[in-house]
Amino acid sequence: RTIGFNVWYPTEDTVGEEVRYLGFNPDEDALGGASLASPLYDGRYPVMVYSHGWQGWGGTSADLCRWFASHGWVVVAPDHTGNTFLDHSDPLETAHYLQKPQDLKAVLDELDALPAGDPLAGLADTSAVVLSGHSYGASLAAWAGIGATFDAEAVESACAGGGALPTGQCTPDQEDAFLSGELTDPRFVASIPLAGTIRRSFFGPDGHLGARGPVMSMTGSNDGSPQSYIDQWDSIEGIDFSWVSVEGACHQTFALGTCNTLDKDERFRIVDTYALAFARAHVLGDEGDEVQGILDGTVEVSALVTFSRKGN
């Protein structure tokens, strides 16, 4: 199985090649083939990894990825082969539920293995990485990657056709893989699930306790059932968990931005501001008043946001 992946990085160039994600989705605000700007942080670039949602592509949240790049980060996002806009299979085979979080590990390995002639070789700091994901990428990969553990009874039920797997079929090796811990990666130190709740049908009631670092969930009042996000908040104890609830935000507020219930510039400002503050705090160790004020709720980013935090 081969996957493609997208990389955003800082540049001082003002012109570049045309960018199209998956060959069809244009990004007029990105510059293809641009030269690298010098690293801002101890000679290396901090890293974020992003996992797209159901039938998406790596560039679905390109605004967020460009925002991080414009602040000196490298962002890498795989196109999850078998579940993209162009090659989705329905129902998804059991293997894909294992491959999706493994893709996130693979792109970090690829950054680490860049050959000496590549401009990024040796410059992406993958020792402590922030992980984000949208929708399906949030509910599965963004939790698995940070260390949430799969529930044995839930996996057994899913593999017997009574749970989360559409085909209800697992080989013994696949069932073991869900429970082995191989779907996480210690390089992920913080997670930002966007528009998705932890998939209890895989992780069970206590799987979130495996999270190695803090989690910031961002959701919208116009996205599906708001009760599911309230239930997630009520069910999570024992970890550092923040909830950014945005009034008027819909599912695509946190990805393509195509939501007529919230101004485009305002929705991106909210998402980008909280995500970068969270990443700066937990990857770069930023203890500045502005960053910490955003993360403890004392700095108001927008009147549309209800900010909650527990376990800190």
Side-chain angles (χ1 to χ4, degrees), residues 220-306:
S221 65
N222 286 23
D223 181 11
S225 170
Q227 185 62 43
S228 65
Y229 297 125
I230 296 172
D231 292 344
Q232 173 178 251
W233 170 257
D234 291 342
S235 73
I236 289 181
E237 300 289 347
I239 64 171
D240 185 342
F241 184 76
S242 301
W243 180 20
V244 177
S245 178
V246 185
E247 184 66 30
C250 70
H251 199 62
Q252 288 299 334
T253 290
F254 306 94
L256 297 173
T258 52
C259 180
N260 60 12
T261 57
L262 189 61
D263 175 75
K264 181 177 181 179
D265 290 340
E266 178 69 359
R267 60 183 176 247
F268 284 147
R269 187 181 71 83
I270 292 169
V271 174
D272 294 354
T273 298
Y274 276 104
L276 185 61
F278 182 79
R280 286 189 60 86
H282 298 297
V283 173
L284 299 178
D286 189 337
E287 297 181 350
D289 290 343
E290 184 174 10
V291 164
Q292 294 302 317
I294 291 170
L295 299 183
D296 65 19
T298 57
V299 170
E300 182 181 275
V301 175
S302 170
L304 297 174
V305 170
T306 300

Side-chain angles (χ1 to χ4, degrees), residues 12 16 105 127 251 267:
E12 295 182 359
K105 301 172 63 173
S127 63
H251 199 62
R267 60 183 176 247

Side-chain angles (χ1 to χ4, degrees), residues 7-11 31-37 45 65-66 68-70 72-75 120:
V7 182
W8 296 260
Y9 53 86
T11 185
L31 305 176
S35 60
L36 275 167
Y45 304 98
C65 301
R66 290 195 309 268
F68 269 71
S70 74
W73 292 63
V74 163
V75 182
L120 262 177

Side-chain angles (χ1 to χ4, degrees), residues 68 94 102-103 108 117-118 134 152 156 162 170 200 242 263 294:
F68 269 71
T94 294
Q102 289 172 331
D103 289 349
L108 284 184
D118 191 287
H134 177 250
E156 182 180 1
C170 302
R200 292 296 185 191
S242 301
D263 175 75
I294 291 170

